Amino acid sequence: MEFGLGEDITLLRESVRDFGTREIAPHAAAWDEAEALPPELPAKLGELGLLGLCVPERSGGAELGMVAAVSLLEELASFDGSVALTVASHNFLAVGHLLRRADPVLLEELLPPMASGRALGGWAAAEPGVGSDLAALRTAARRDGDTWLLDGDKAYVLQGSTAQHLIVLATADASARREGLMTFVVDRDAPGLEVIERVETLGMRAADVADVRLRSVRVPLSRALASKDTWADVQAVLDDHRIAVAAIACGVARAAMRSARDYALEREQFGHPIAQYQAIQWKLADMATDIEAAWLMTLEAAWRREQGLPCREAAARAKLFAAPRAVRACSEALQIHGGYGYTREFPVERYLRNARVAALIDGTTEMQRIAIAHGIETRFAT
Amino acid sequence: MEFGFNEVQGDVQQRARTYASEVLAPAAARLDREGGFPHENLAAAARAGLLGINVPPDLGGAGAGAVAYSLAVTEMAKACAATTVAICVNNMVAEVIARFGTEAQRREHVPKLCDGTYRVGAFALSESGAGSDPGGMRTRARRTDRGWVLEGSKLWITSGTDAGLFVVWARTNDAPGARGISAFLVPGDTPGLVRGRPEHKMGLNGSTTTALEFHGCELPEDALLDAEGRGFRVAMMALDGGRIGIASQALGIGMAATETAVAHAREHRQFGRPIGEYQAIQWMLADSATELDAARLLTLQAAWRKEQGLAFTREASMAKVFATERSFAACDRALQVLGSSGYTRRSSVERNFRDVRVTMIYEGTSEVQRIVLSREIMRRFGEE
C-alpha cells in the first residue's frame, strides 16, 4: 500500500496548476459564455504535454502512466471542465484508440501533430437513437475497390467540428452486431464529411460537441484500423475514458468545494461567518469526504489500468461513485452561496452544469450499475 | 502509488480470515443470542496473534502496522462484529501503552495484553455527563503520599465485565476543559473497582458494555500514563486510531451482509428468474458494492497515513463517518433484498443490521466526525 502520488506527479500537477492559474482561470467564464475554446489553446496544451499524455516521447508525447494522466486531468478540471473534457476525450478516446490499433506508419503520421496540438482528435461512436447499445449502430462501411465508403450520422461527437481526425465507428455487417464493427480514421477535409450542428449543452459549453454526417466518405484502406475485435477495443477505450471522466468529476467538485469553503468563511449572517453553523459544516464535511472517496476510487482504477490488471469494474465503480457525488457537491456548493450561487457572478453554477455530464457520458450511471452488478457476481462469489 | 498489499499485510489478513472462519463464524449466532463475554474467542485470538497487530514484536505484538490491523479487523468483523470490537479495543490499549508508557509500564502490561493474560484490555473514558466532550469529566484522581486515589464512575465500557486492565481517564486538577485530565493504568482486580451489570443492547450482544465505579481505588505512583494533565492527548491518539478500527469493523459487517444478499439474489427466484436478474435488485447491490469499495479505500488511506507518521485525524474521521453510514445503508439494502427472511433471526443479516448501527455512535458519533472534519476543512482544503 502506498497512497502518495510521488514527487514526479506532484511536480507535473504543479505545472498544470500554474498554467491553469495563468491561462485558464481568468477566462473560463468567458469561454463558457462564448461556448468555445480559443483556437490558440490546443497549442499551449500541447506544449505542456497534455495532448499526448500517454503518447511515447519519440512521437512527441509525455509518455505518462494512467495515474499521472488522471492526476493532471483532475487538476486541469479544477480550473475548467470544458478544457479537461477536451483534453480527456482527445487523449483517451481518439489517441487512445489509435495507440491500441493503428499500425506504426499511421501512428508516425498522426501522433506528432496530435500530441503537439496542431491536430485535435475526435471519437464518433454514438448515433441518433444509438447510445448505450453501440452494437446496434448503423453507420455503414462498404468496401469499394481499394477504399471504404462510409455512410451515416454520428451524434454527440466530441471535437466534432474542430477535430482534424475523427475516429469513426461503423459496421460492415449490421446483422452481425458486435462482430460487424470496424474503426476508421476520417480526416476533416474528407469530401462528404459535414457538421450538421454544434450541440448546445447544459454544461461543458466550451467543449466542442457536434452532430456530424458522413455521405459516401471515402477512406483509404490504410486508414481502416486492423483489429480482430473492434468491440473489445471500444470497451477498453471507454474504460480509460471513464476513469478520465471520473477524474474530471473529482476536479470540478474540488473547485466547487473550495469556492464554497472560502465563501462560508467570509459570508456573515446573524453575526457569525456561516462556516460556524453546523448546517453549513455538515455539507462541507460530507462534500469533502465524498470527493476524497471518489478520488481514491479513480486513482485505484487508474493504478489497475497502469498495472495491466482488469479495470473494467473499477472504472465503472469510480465513475458511478464520482459522477453523482460531484453533482451533489456542486449543488451543495451552490446552496452554500445562496442566491449568489445561482448567478453567473460566481463560478459554482457553471461547476454544477459541468459536473452533470459525468453521469451521462461513456455510459450513464444506470449503465455503470449494470456493469457492476455483473462484476459483483465474481467479486462476492468467494 | 501502490494499491496492492505487501507480504506481511497479506499474511495478517489471511490469518484473520482463518481465525474468523474457524473460530468466530461457527459461534457468532449463538453468542448473539446468549450474550456474555466471548472468552474462548479472545483466547483463540491471542493464540492467533491478533491482539497486538500494530504493537512492536519485542513487546509481544505482531509489528505488522496499521494497514494490516485494518485488514484484519475487517476480516474478523465479517464473521463476528461483537468479538471484533473487544479485540479492537484490546489492540488500541496495547498500542497506547506501547506509545505513551514508560519502559517499565510497557514491559509490565503490553505483553500481557498481547498474549491474553489480561483476557482483554479496556478504555474507560465516557461518563454520564462526558461523552463527546471530555471537558465535563467528573471522575477524580487525588494525589496521596503513596500514589493516587481514584473516585468516580464511568459508562459504556466495552468488555467492562472481564477486562484485566483498564486505561481510566480522570481529572487531576481543576483546569478548565480537557487540560486537567490524566490517564491511569488500572488493573481489573484493584480493590474498590466495581463492575456494573452488562447493558441490554440492540446489537453486539457478544460483547459486554458496562458501567464502572471507583470507590477510593488506591493506585501506585506509576499508574499514571504519560505526564499529569496529558490525558487528553492520550485519548485523542486512542480515538483517532480507534476510528480506523471502527471504520474497518463497519466495513466488514457491510460486506458480510452484502455477500449474503448476493448469494440470496442468485438463488431466490420470483416470476421465473433469480431476483438478481432484475435491475431493482442489481441497483441495490451495485450501490452497496461501490460504496463499500469507497469506504475500504478511505479506511486504508487513513491507516496508511497513520503508519507513515503523517497527520491522519481528517482521514480517520472521513473513513469513520463514511464507512459506518454506508455500511449501515448496505445492511439495510441487504435486508431488503432478503425480504422477510432478512427480518428474522434465521438470517445473519438481521444481526448485521443490529450490530452495524452502533458504529455510527461509538468512538465519536457521526456528528462528532463532521465537527472534526469541518474544523480540518476550514484549516486546509485542496491545497496539497
Side-chain angles (χ1 to χ4, degrees):
Chain A
M1 287 255 113
E2 161 67 59
F3 281 88
L5 282 176
E7 203 182 332
D8 292 352
I9 297 179
T10 304
L11 285 173
L12 286 170
R13 265 168 79 92
E14 274 166 24
S15 67
V16 172
R17 191 172 307 172
D18 288 345
F19 178 79
T21 308
R22 267 185 299 113
E23 303 273 348
I24 301 178
H27 313 294
W31 295 342
D32 178 69
E33 202 83 30
E35 304 198 22
L37 295 174
E40 67 275 12
L41 187 67
K44 291 181 183 174
L45 294 169
E47 211 169 293
L48 262 182
L50 291 173
L51 295 180
L53 288 170
C54 302
V55 171
E57 279 180 3
R58 65 187 144 73
S59 302
E63 203 168 328
L64 298 174
M66 195 66 177
V67 171
V70 298
S71 298
L72 302 191
L73 271 176
E74 192 271 351
E75 188 66 48
L76 199 57
S78 77
F79 291 98
D80 185 50
S82 294
V83 175
L85 183 62
T86 303
V87 168
S89 57
H90 166 86
N91 274 286
F92 294 109
L93 293 177
V95 175
H97 204 140
L98 291 173
L99 284 171
R100 268 171 201 284
R101 284 297 164 231
D103 59 59
V105 177
L106 196 56
L107 284 178
E108 204 177 317
E109 178 200 335
L110 298 180
L111 288 183
M114 290 181 89
S116 72
R118 272 177 287 136
L120 282 179
W123 198 70
E127 298 177 357
V130 180
S132 300
D133 181 16
L134 277 180
L137 64 81
R138 289 186 299 257
T139 295
R142 189 161 49 82
R143 184 71 183 264
D144 182 37
D146 54 0
T147 60
W148 288 89
L149 275 176
L150 301 184
D151 274 287
D153 287 355
K154 289 291 177 186
Y156 307 125
V157 182
L158 277 156
Q159 284 80 253
S161 69
T162 48
Q164 180 58 33
H165 307 291
L166 288 182
I167 312 302
V168 176
L169 280 181
T171 177
D173 176 4
S175 67
R177 286 186 47 95
R178 293 176 183 187
E179 281 79 31
L181 296 180
M182 292 185 67
T183 313
F184 301 88
V185 180
V186 176
D187 295 340
R188 168 65 46 200
D189 53 8
L193 174 67
E194 71 176 287
V195 176
I196 304 171
E197 68 171 343
R198 269 286 302 268
V199 182
E200 296 179 327
T201 47
L202 171 81
M204 299 292 195
R205 285 186 180 164
D208 167 21
V209 183
D211 290 344
V212 302
R213 177 161 296 157
L214 299 113
R215 260 203 199 120
S216 301
V217 173
R218 252 177 217 289
V219 180
L221 297 187
S222 62
R223 274 168 144 64
L225 302 188
S227 175
K228 285 196 185 71
D229 191 348
T230 298
W231 179 254
D233 299 343
V234 169
Q235 296 309 310
V237 164
L238 285 172
D239 287 341
D240 289 356
H241 199 239
R242 278 179 195 128
I243 303 173
V245 168
I248 292 173
C250 291
V252 173
R254 181 162 65 87
M257 167 83 200
R258 198 167 42 200
S259 300
R261 167 196 179 267
D262 293 349
Y263 186 81
L265 284 168
E266 197 178 281
R267 167 86 171 170
E268 292 200 5
Q269 288 292 286
F270 306 105
H272 300 283
I274 60 171
Q276 286 184 17
Y277 298 107
Q278 293 189 335
I280 304 300
Q281 291 174 351
W282 260 221
K283 291 184 199 296
L284 291 170
D286 287 343
M287 289 154 73
T289 303
D290 281 350
I291 294 168
E292 188 71 23
W295 181 227
L296 290 175
M297 296 184 85
T298 306
L299 283 174
E300 191 186 37
W303 177 82
R304 292 185 68 88
R305 167 72 173 86
E306 193 171 302
Q307 299 292 310
L309 297 166
C311 68
R312 178 144 309 154
E313 201 200 330
R317 264 184 276 136
K319 195 170 99 73
L320 171 62
F321 188 84
R325 304 272 169 164
V327 172
R328 189 165 75 185
C330 292
S331 181
E332 291 288 43
L334 193 151
Q335 192 71 19
I336 289 169
H337 283 75
Y340 289 106
Y342 198 68
T343 70
R344 299 207 195 168
E345 204 179 311
F346 285 86
V348 280
E349 65 86 26
R350 175 161 47 89
Y351 296 147
L352 175 58
R353 287 188 287 105
N354 286 349
R356 189 61 182 80
V357 78
L360 302 166
I361 193 170
D362 302 331
T364 59
T365 292
E366 289 68 26
M367 290 305 295
Q368 307 312 317
R369 286 203 181 92
I370 290 174
I372 292 160
H374 288 293
I376 291 171
E377 284 286 317
T378 46
R379 263 184 345 120
F380 277 91
T382 46
Chain B
M1 190 117 283
E2 164 65 58
F3 285 91
F5 304 138
N6 65 31
E7 206 175 319
V8 172
Q9 290 159 350
D11 283 353
V12 171
Q13 185 186 42
Q14 190 50 50
R15 209 183 324 147
R17 196 174 281 161
T18 306
Y19 166 74
S21 66
E22 290 177 1
V23 179
L24 295 182
R30 183 176 49 79
L31 192 59
D32 174 60
R33 200 174 282 272
E34 295 172 2
F37 187 80
H39 293 275
E40 288 159 28
N41 287 351
L42 264 292
R47 289 193 296 274
L50 295 167
L51 292 186
I53 296 167
N54 186 28
V55 168
D58 65 324
L59 295 174
V67 169
Y69 171 68
S70 168
L71 294 171
V73 170
T74 298
E75 289 305 321
M76 295 188 282
K78 283 184 195 173
C80 179
T83 302
T84 303
V85 73
I87 292 177
C88 281
V89 175
N90 188 85
N91 268 277
M92 289 313 299
V93 171
E95 267 193 51
V96 161
I97 299 173
R99 164 88 188 272
F100 294 104
T102 62
E103 195 51 29
Q105 287 171 330
R106 287 155 52 100
R107 298 268 159 228
E108 167 65 18
H109 298 296
V110 178
K112 292 181 188 167
L113 287 162
C114 294
D115 69 10
T117 305
Y118 277 137
R119 274 187 307 280
V120 70
F123 286 123
L125 179 62
S126 296
E127 298 181 7
S128 59
S132 301
D133 173 16
M137 189 175 292
R138 288 215 296 265
T139 296
R140 284 196 156 269
R142 209 163 25 82
R143 209 181 250 290
T144 66
D145 42 359
R146 281 186 303 173
W148 303 87
V149 173
L150 200 57
E151 196 74 48
S153 62
K154 294 283 176 180
L155 270 186
W156 316 125
I157 311 307
T158 299
S159 306
T161 51
D162 288 80
L165 180 72
F166 295 92
V167 177
V168 179
W169 279 267
R171 193 166 280 291
T172 45
N173 69 54
D174 287 324
R179 272 187 291 150
I181 292 170
S182 306
F184 295 89
L185 299 171
V186 181
D189 57 3
T190 303
L193 167 63
V194 178
R195 302 167 191 260
R197 289 233 297 268
E199 303 282 350
H200 291 289
K201 295 171 299 191
M202 173 183 177
L204 291 191
N205 292 328
S207 103
T208 57
T209 308
T210 73
L212 286 183
E213 290 173 15
F214 308 99
H215 299 287
C217 293
E218 294 195 17
L219 305 175
E221 185 67 40
D222 66 359
L224 181 67
L225 180 64
D226 203 1
E228 192 179 335
R230 299 298 291 274
F232 189 67
R233 188 174 78 123
V234 177
M236 285 302 106
M237 185 269 178
L239 285 171
D240 279 349
R243 280 163 192 169
I244 296 172
I246 300 310
S248 312
Q249 181 203 22
L251 174 62
I253 305 171
M255 288 178 77
T258 305
E259 281 170 23
T260 307
V262 169
H264 180 81
R266 212 179 278 149
E267 277 157 27
H268 185 65
R269 301 175 75 90
Q270 290 291 288
F271 307 107
R273 289 197 284 168
I275 60 170
E277 289 183 15
Y278 296 104
Q279 293 188 338
I281 305 299
Q282 291 175 349
W283 260 221
M284 289 194 262
L285 297 175
D287 285 346
S288 288
T290 301
E291 291 176 3
L292 293 177
D293 216 50
R296 175 181 64 86
L297 290 168
L298 286 172
T299 305
L300 288 173
Q301 178 180 239
W304 176 80
R305 289 184 67 93
K306 178 183 172 187
E307 198 167 296
Q308 298 294 310
L310 300 166
F312 68 98
T313 298
R314 168 190 138 114
E315 286 75 14
S317 280
M318 280 185 173
K320 190 191 181 260
V321 71
F322 190 90
T324 60
E325 293 188 355
R326 295 299 91 206
S327 293
F328 178 72
C331 289
D332 189 52
R333 288 191 199 105
L335 199 153
Q336 193 69 19
V337 170
L338 267 80
S340 298
S341 66
Y343 198 68
T344 71
R345 296 218 192 169
R346 274 183 225 146
S347 166
S348 55
V349 169
E350 184 270 341
R351 170 165 47 88
N352 296 148
F353 183 90
R354 286 184 288 109
D355 285 350
V356 77
R357 186 60 183 80
V358 76
T359 63
M360 292 190 274
I361 297 172
Y362 62 19
E363 216 73 32
T365 60
S366 286
E367 290 68 30
V368 163
Q369 305 311 323
R370 289 191 171 90
I371 291 172
V372 171
L373 272 176
S374 61
R375 204 182 291 144
E376 295 278 323
I377 291 162
M378 296 315 164
R379 210 173 288 152
R380 67 184 167 99
F381 177 80
E383 290 94 14
E384 60 275 3

